[in-house]
Amino acid sequence: MLQITMPLNFLGTVYREIRQALIDMADMFGLLDQPPEVKDKPGAPALQVRQGVLRFEDVEFGYGDGRQILKGVSFEVPAGGTLAIVGATGAGKSTIGRLLFRFYDVTGGRITIDGQDLREVTQQSLHEAIGVVPQDTVLFNDTIRYNIAYGREGASQHDIETVARAASIHRFIESLPEGYDTQVGERGLKLSGGEKQRVGIARTLLKNPPILLLDEATSALDTGTEREIQGELKAMGHGRTVISIAHRLSTIADADQIIVLDEGEIAEAGTHADLLDRSGLYNALWSRQAQDVGSLAAE
Ligand code: ATP
C-alpha cells in the first residue's frame, strides 16, 4: 500500500506545484495558451538555494521570429536584495521574468541562482524557489481557505490564518458569514482587486519562497489600497531576493537597484537618487509620470 500511495502523493504534489506556478506565471505574462517550451535535462538535479544570489550574465534572447529582444543583459541581485526593472512598453521587462522562470531558454549568456545555471536544474525545483505575485491573482472556484492554502499542501488552519493576517485579509474573511469556507471565484463571492491581491500575497507567504518575482501589481487599485499593499509586498520581500517589474515608478523608488531597459538593453542602472541625478531616461520617465499624476489629479 505504501509503495502505491507514496508515488501518487508525490505526483500530486508535483502536479500541484507545477500547476500553481504555471497558472500564476501564465496569468502574469499572458501566456495562457502557451505551454512551456523547455524540458529538464535527463537526471537534472534540484536547484539548491543557499543564499539566493541571482545573476543574469550577458543574456541574449529572441522569441524565434528573428527579432532580438534582450541584447546582452547583465545584472546581479545579491541575496536579500531588491532589483526593479523599468522601461518603456515593449522594452523586455516581462521577458526577463519569463526567462527567470525558464519559460524559454536564453539564446546567449546564462542565468544563475547561487551559481547554478537554470538550464541545469529541474524546473519543478526552480518554480518552487520563486514566488510570483502577479497583477491579477487567479482565484479558483473554491473556498477562500483553499485559495490561500494552494500556496502549500497540508497547511494548517493556523498557518493559513497567520499568512492571512500578514496580508491584512484575515479580518475581512472573518467578517464573512462563512468565514474561510466562503466560496470565491467566478461562481462565488467576487473579491475586489485589492482583496484578490491579498489572497495572492497570503498564498505566496505560505509558499515561503527565497526568491520573489513581482509584477508590479497595483495598477487597478485606488491609491490608499495601493499604498497598503505596497507595504505588504515590501514586508514580504524582507529576507528574500526580489525582482520587481515596474510599470509605475512611484512604487520602486526604494529598491536597492533599478535598471532601465531600453529596447532590450540596460540603458541605466543605479538607485533612484543616482538615476534622477543623471538627467537620462529614468529622469525623463519620472518627470513624465509626475506630470501624468498631476494632470489626473487636476481632472
Ligand atoms: P510592457 O511594459 O508593455 O508589459 P515589456 O517591457 O514587459 O512591456 P515584453 O513583454 O518583455 O515587454 O516584450 C518585449 C518584446 O517582445 C515586445 O516587442 C513584444 O512584442 C515581444 N514579445 C513578447 N512576447 C512575445 C512572444 N511570445 N512572441 C514574440 N514576440 C514577443
Side-chain angles (χ1 to χ4, degrees):
M1 192 60 195
L2 200 63
Q3 271 174 332
I4 297 169
T5 52
M6 273 193 37
L8 285 182
N9 283 340
F10 172 68
L11 272 180
T13 312
V14 170
Y15 174 68
R16 201 178 148 94
E17 283 291 342
I18 291 177
R19 195 165 75 125
Q20 180 200 348
L22 292 183
I23 287 171
D24 288 347
M25 285 300 288
D27 179 48
M28 174 169 175
F29 295 125
L31 288 169
L32 282 169
D33 303 327
Q34 246 173 297
E37 294 185 352
V38 292
K39 300 252 181 304
D40 284 354
K41 274 194 176 169
L47 172 72
Q48 303 287 332
V49 184
R50 293 179 197 90
Q51 296 175 298
V53 181
L54 170 65
R55 282 171 66 89
F56 271 56
E57 296 175 15
D58 212 7
V59 168
E60 309 271 337
F61 179 72
Y63 285 96
D65 55 6
R67 212 154 53 97
Q68 203 177 353
I69 303 296
L70 296 183
K71 303 160 190 165
V73 169
S74 298
F75 58 79
E76 175 175 316
V77 196
T82 58
L83 172 90
I85 305 172
V86 303
T89 178
K93 304 181 293 295
S94 302
T95 301
I96 288 183
R98 292 178 195 126
L99 294 180
L100 173 61
F101 222 70
R102 207 177 160 219
F103 262 120
Y104 303 92
D105 275 330
V106 299
T107 47
R110 61 181 203 144
I111 305 172
T112 62
I113 293 176
D114 288 342
Q116 299 147 87
D117 190 317
L118 301 192
R119 291 168 293 194
E120 303 294 331
V121 298
T122 62
Q123 290 174 78
Q124 191 210 335
S125 61
L126 177 66
H127 296 170
E128 278 168 4
I130 304 173
V132 180
V133 182
Q135 282 206 4
D136 194 10
T137 297
V138 174
L139 291 181
F140 302 100
N141 288 311
D142 208 306
T143 61
I144 199 157
R145 174 187 292 108
Y146 175 88
N147 271 282
I148 295 175
Y150 202 58
R152 193 177 75 221
E153 195 169 11
S156 67
Q157 180 64 21
H158 176 263
D159 296 337
I160 292 169
E161 285 185 17
T162 304
V163 293
R165 278 204 176 84
S168 304
I169 187 133
H170 173 71
R171 273 213 270 164
F172 164 77
I173 299 171
E174 290 267 283
S175 75
L176 300 168
E178 294 186 75
Y180 281 85
D181 292 320
T182 306
Q183 291 283 325
V184 294
E186 289 298 302
R187 292 197 288 275
L189 181 71
K190 302 268 185 301
L191 299 186
S192 73
E195 289 154 2
K196 277 207 278 188
Q197 185 95 59
R198 291 198 158 101
V199 170
I201 291 173
R203 197 186 272 172
T204 305
L205 283 169
L206 202 54
K207 182 176 169 180
N208 196 21
I211 296 167
L212 274 184
L213 178 57
L214 307 180
D215 186 17
E216 188 210 70
T218 47
S219 42
L221 306 178
D222 64 75
T223 332
T225 311
E226 171 177 337
R227 203 165 303 136
E228 283 170 25
I229 289 196
Q230 279 305 323
E232 279 139 26
L233 288 174
K234 208 169 151 192
M236 180 159 71
H238 283 149
R240 305 180 209 267
T241 304
V242 182
I243 286 211
S244 174
I245 295 174
H247 305 281
R248 282 212 252 171
L249 304 189
S250 55
T251 54
I252 46 108
D254 55 0
D256 302 328
Q257 243 189 112
I258 299 171
I259 59 175
V260 184
L261 267 192
D262 183 30
E263 297 186 3
E265 287 178 283
I266 297 183
E268 293 170 17
T271 63
H272 173 72
D274 295 339
L275 294 174
L276 273 191
D277 272 354
R278 233 175 270 177
S279 311
L281 270 180
Y282 186 82
N283 189 305
L285 281 170
W286 183 263
S287 312
R288 195 175 325 138
Q289 222 162 69
Q291 260 173 15
D292 290 349
V293 171
S295 61
L296 273 178
E299 273 173 13

